[in-house]
Amino acid sequence: MDLKTTHVWRRPTLGAVAALAGVSTATVSNALNGTGRVSEATRQRVIAAARELGHAPASTARAVASGSTGVLGLTMTTYGDLPVSYTEIPYYGQLALGAMAAAHERGYMLMVMPSSLSPWMWLSTPMDGVIHVGPRADDPVRSLLRERGIPIVSEGRPCRPCPGDAWVDADHDAGLRLALDHLAQAGARRIALTLPVHDDTYPHLVEQAYVSWCAERDVPILVERYASLPDYFTTEQTAAGLLLDRGPRPDAVVGVYSDSGHNILAAARHHGLRVPRDLLVACISEDPDYATTTPPVTAVSLRPDRVGEEAVDLLIALINERTGVDRRRLVQPELVLRRSTHGLSSSSPGSAG
Amino acid sequence: MDLKTTHVWRRPTLGAVAALAGVSTATVSNALNGTGRVSEATRQRVIAAARELGHAPASTARAVASGSTGVLGLTMTTYGDLPVSYTEIPYYGQLALGAMAAAHERGYMLMVMPSSLSPWMWLSTPMDGVIHVGPRADDPVRSLLRERGIPIVSEGRPCRPCPGDAWVDADHDAGLRLALDHLAQAGARRIALTLPVHDDTYPHLVEQAYVSWCAERDVPILVERYASLPDYFTTEQTAAGLLLDRGPRPDAVVGVYSDSGHNILAAARHHGLRVPRDLLVACISEDPDYATTTPPVTAVSLRPDRVGEEAVDLLIALINERTGVDRRRLVQPELVLRRSTHGLSSSSPGSAG
């Protein structure tokens, strides 16, 4: 048999290998794992049996019947076919690592795929299911996978909900409210928001949460939008600058993308404002650098590691056609308090600095 | 054709798809990527052509001839079949993310595999090559992959070098010397080392570097060893405590595993020693938590992201049988200075605290 041809990875049971090799399951385990005392002849017999059972060509009826590859795919197509190194963005990197640990714990491999809409990859890569991060409206990858009958779990709520959808998302409403409540407690009365323009659901969810929160408290709605592509360093700094030019000036600015804290700090410096004495700053981000900025920046963590873990859990349930599974799951964000929101000098003079 | 059977992912050229669909390559690109203006009928024709060319059963002679799956595997088997969530350890997580970004940039998928010696997975998962992290002496995974003719790049030098080896490793000698030189400059004269007991090459390389450095400067060699499995929290704290019990006491302790800084700080607290006034502490670690410990701990970063990137670069060169490739690559570590090594009170009184 040509070992270079492609085969499905099916996981035969210890019992099946033991029966074929004529040994106990304990011996199979020892032989395959290099533990205990097993003669070399027995080890070879066990490996031959494992190979025979686990190594049938994919085209055989048996392999098709079992069908399992042991592989879960993961990709992000939020930015279409732009070559985005998404795993270098802290949120996506931590999501991938969380999904990886959960997949490994359950005996699956995690195949992390490039951000690409190429149908070639989607049509022919062997996998049992896919975690689709940040799908767009009418995302072509979804129809390609549906055509193959491959289960999908989305990270992020689909733009247009369908009955069969399965998704895991951070509770963005709860996350933004954690930041806003904390800023209000720290003395802020005019809390502004910089908001990216993009057609995924995230900016809309954040905007809804912000507008509702302001309406509930009868405080002003202060929003500036910025273009998020190809990058948002300059555009968000400009948007934050426009907010700080307003009269009366906001006493806090919240940003919702990974680099927002850096961008708002830069705008504050440009306006000669000291954080947190003159202005409070917070953002939604997983970037560990905020622990060491000047000042360190308070951030909402969306817990992408837990989003990845829940997505794997749900995907494996779908692959195994488990019933009674919760197909829509929200992960609770956490607030990481740092000096950028220690309190305004006018409202709480003792706590500044 | 049953879409659930397994197929090799071959990447047909734009030209081949264009020729089959009877359109220009620009139209193929637009149709597959959702860019430009393409009628729905043309888009369907292009996708059908791409599907036909990229979707042949793996058993056909053509697929075997091209052989490519577009998949690079990655695993760690340092701890044998112990179910280690290795990607949750900062070094391995960052290595996986670095490899991921590099693979994606070159159009490959990265399949991250559980830490397992199971021959089933190794014998039958389709992949073009494997990055094998932390191989042990006589690692069974290596012979399984060699049997399949799959190229391997090791992270970490093999315990027993062979002529054909291809590996990428951090320059551990240079990394430890960065820490030792810095401690000597900060006033330390008796620099001790806590050393894990494990049969991979890392502890041996670190020990060699330490002993050579001490011999070159004619300073005392102060080493305590600790068991590294199943975990080293207690064992390393005990080892650090034994070092601090010695007379005369060391004025600096260096640890070489991810949690070593935490363990040595705990031992110092237990001995009533203040860091850095009474004792300097440094470690080799990628853990971002050292930025916010009390005090923050100076660490050598082995740049696992760059190790992962170099490993992907080398692996793709081997897969494509490129000649004149450097098969043994060292990545230069970096020192991240923090307060735990600001200087001893006796040698530089002004800088302590």
Side-chain angles (χ1 to χ4, degrees):
Chain A
M1 184 160 60
D2 182 348
L3 288 164
K4 274 198 163 178
T5 54
T6 303
H7 299 95
V8 175
W9 176 43
R10 296 172 308 103
R11 279 153 294 178
T13 62
L14 283 184
V17 176
L20 187 63
V23 297
S24 71
T25 54
T27 301
V28 171
S29 174
N30 284 332
L32 296 180
N33 299 335
T35 52
R37 276 184 235 141
V38 179
S39 74
E40 185 55 27
T42 304
R43 203 181 74 87
Q44 289 302 336
R45 202 161 77 238
V46 168
I47 288 183
R51 192 167 290 161
E52 187 174 333
L53 289 169
H55 203 222
S59 54
T60 66
R62 195 174 55 172
V64 173
S66 91
S68 169
T69 64
V71 176
L72 309 180
L74 183 147
T75 195
M76 191 211 60
T77 60
T78 312
Y79 302 106
D81 239 8
L82 266 189
V84 178
S85 290
Y86 64 101
T87 57
E88 295 184 293
I89 300 169
Y91 178 87
Y92 297 112
Q94 290 176 36
L95 185 140
L97 291 176
M100 216 172 272
H104 291 174
E105 200 183 309
R106 292 155 179 84
Y108 281 84
M109 299 174 261
L110 187 76
M111 175 141 61
V112 190
M113 312 171 88
S115 171
S116 168
L117 303 179
S118 159
W120 302 322
M121 180 172 76
W122 294 109
L123 281 170
S124 38
T125 300
M127 48 197 170
D128 293 350
V130 168
I131 297 168
H132 188 181
V133 177
R136 300 198 294 180
D138 299 319
D139 203 305
V141 169
R142 298 181 78 77
S143 50
L144 291 173
L145 292 172
R146 277 205 201 92
E147 183 183 323
R148 284 180 68 187
I150 288 184
I152 311 170
V153 169
S154 303
E155 177 277 346
R157 282 153 266 194
C159 305
R160 293 178 205 140
C162 295
D165 287 341
W167 53 258
V168 178
D169 202 359
D171 190 336
H172 296 299
D173 184 88
L176 190 68
R177 281 167 184 270
L178 280 177
L180 296 173
D181 287 345
H182 167 65
L183 289 167
Q185 274 165 20
R189 296 292 167 261
R190 299 177 51 78
I191 305 175
L193 182 73
T194 54
L195 195 66
V197 175
H198 191 269
D199 68 356
D200 70 355
T201 49
Y202 178 62
H204 302 290
L205 290 168
V206 163
E207 184 174 15
Q208 274 172 24
Y210 173 75
V211 169
S212 305
W213 187 89
C214 291
E216 288 159 21
R217 278 153 195 81
D218 198 22
V219 293
I221 291 167
L222 304 162
V223 175
E224 282 288 344
R225 286 163 212 281
Y226 57 91
S228 62
L229 291 174
D231 78 61
Y232 58 98
F233 302 107
T234 320
T235 55
E236 188 177 21
Q237 278 185 42
T238 305
L242 289 172
L243 286 168
L244 298 178
D245 283 338
R246 292 196 190 180
R249 184 169 55 71
D251 48 19
V253 181
V254 179
V256 302
Y257 268 2
S258 189
D259 288 313
S260 293
H262 299 295
N263 297 338
I264 298 167
L265 283 186
R269 271 194 301 275
H270 191 74
H271 277 68
L273 298 172
R274 275 157 297 182
V275 176
R277 209 191 71 167
D278 307 323
L279 182 75
L280 306 185
V281 174
C283 64
I284 302 177
S285 180
E286 314 304 323
D287 188 347
D289 287 353
Y290 289 123
T292 52
T293 46
T294 309
V297 174
T298 290
V300 174
S301 165
L302 299 175
R303 297 302 309 269
D305 55 328
R306 292 207 42 230
V307 172
E309 190 185 323
E310 284 287 336
V312 163
D313 186 80
L314 177 52
L315 183 58
I316 292 175
L318 298 182
I319 290 167
N320 294 317
E321 298 174 350
R322 248 180 262 145
T323 53
V325 172
D326 181 4
R327 299 167 71 97
R328 285 138 204 235
R329 303 186 184 185
L330 286 177
V331 168
Q332 289 310 304
E334 284 172 11
L335 190 64
V336 183
L337 294 180
R338 299 201 185 97
R339 203 147 54 79
S340 70
T341 57
H342 261 201
L344 296 159
S345 60
S346 57
S347 56
S348 51
S351 68
Chain B
M1 185 160 60
D2 183 348
L3 289 164
K4 274 198 162 178
T5 53
T6 303
H7 300 94
V8 175
W9 177 43
R10 298 173 305 103
R11 280 153 295 177
T13 62
L14 283 184
V17 177
L20 187 63
V23 297
S24 71
T25 54
T27 301
V28 171
S29 174
N30 283 333
L32 296 180
N33 298 335
T35 51
R37 276 184 236 141
V38 179
S39 75
E40 186 53 27
T42 303
R43 202 181 75 88
Q44 289 302 336
R45 202 160 77 237
V46 168
I47 287 183
R51 192 167 289 160
E52 189 175 331
L53 288 170
H55 204 223
S59 54
T60 66
R62 195 174 55 173
V64 173
S66 91
S68 169
T69 63
V71 176
L72 309 180
L74 182 146
T75 195
M76 191 211 60
T77 60
T78 312
Y79 303 106
D81 239 10
L82 265 189
V84 177
S85 290
Y86 64 101
T87 57
E88 295 184 292
I89 300 169
Y91 178 87
Y92 298 112
Q94 290 176 36
L95 185 139
L97 291 176
M100 216 171 269
H104 291 174
E105 199 184 308
R106 292 156 179 82
Y108 281 83
M109 298 174 262
L110 186 77
M111 178 142 59
V112 190
M113 312 171 90
S115 171
S116 168
L117 303 180
S118 159
W120 303 323
M121 181 172 75
W122 294 111
L123 281 169
S124 38
T125 301
M127 48 198 171
D128 293 348
V130 169
I131 297 169
H132 188 181
V133 178
R136 301 198 294 180
D138 299 318
D139 203 306
V141 169
R142 299 181 77 77
S143 50
L144 291 173
L145 291 173
R146 278 207 200 91
E147 183 183 323
R148 285 179 68 187
I150 288 183
I152 311 169
V153 169
S154 303
E155 176 279 344
R157 282 153 267 192
C159 306
R160 292 177 207 142
C162 295
D165 287 342
W167 54 259
V168 178
D169 202 358
D171 190 337
H172 296 300
D173 184 88
L176 189 69
R177 282 168 183 270
L178 280 177
L180 296 173
D181 287 344
H182 167 66
L183 290 167
Q185 274 165 18
R189 296 291 167 264
R190 298 177 52 77
I191 306 174
L193 182 73
T194 55
L195 196 66
V197 175
H198 191 270
D199 68 355
D200 70 354
T201 49
Y202 177 62
H204 302 290
L205 290 169
V206 163
E207 185 174 14
Q208 274 173 23
Y210 173 75
V211 170
S212 306
W213 187 89
C214 292
E216 289 158 21
R217 277 154 196 80
D218 198 21
V219 294
I221 291 168
L222 305 162
V223 175
E224 282 288 344
R225 287 163 212 281
Y226 58 91
S228 62
L229 290 174
D231 78 62
Y232 58 99
F233 303 106
T234 320
T235 55
E236 188 178 19
Q237 279 184 42
T238 305
L242 289 172
L243 286 169
L244 298 177
D245 283 338
R246 293 196 190 180
R249 183 168 56 69
D251 49 19
V253 181
V254 179
V256 302
Y257 268 2
S258 188
D259 288 313
S260 293
H262 299 295
N263 297 338
I264 299 166
L265 283 186
R269 270 194 301 275
H270 191 73
H271 276 69
L273 298 173
R274 276 157 296 181
V275 176
R277 211 192 68 167
D278 307 324
L279 182 75
L280 306 185
V281 174
C283 63
I284 302 177
S285 179
E286 314 304 324
D287 188 347
D289 287 354
Y290 289 122
T292 52
T293 47
T294 309
V297 174
T298 291
V300 174
S301 165
L302 299 175
R303 297 301 311 270
D305 55 328
R306 290 206 43 229
V307 172
E309 192 185 322
E310 284 287 335
V312 163
D313 186 79
L314 176 52
L315 183 57
I316 292 176
L318 297 182
I319 290 167
N320 293 316
E321 298 174 350
R322 248 180 262 145
T323 53
V325 171
D326 181 5
R327 298 166 72 95
R328 285 139 203 235
R329 304 187 184 185
L330 286 176
V331 168
Q332 289 310 304
E334 284 172 11
L335 191 64
V336 183
L337 295 180
R338 300 201 185 96
R339 203 146 55 79
S340 69
T341 57
H342 261 200
L344 296 159
S345 60
S346 57
S347 56
S348 50
S351 67

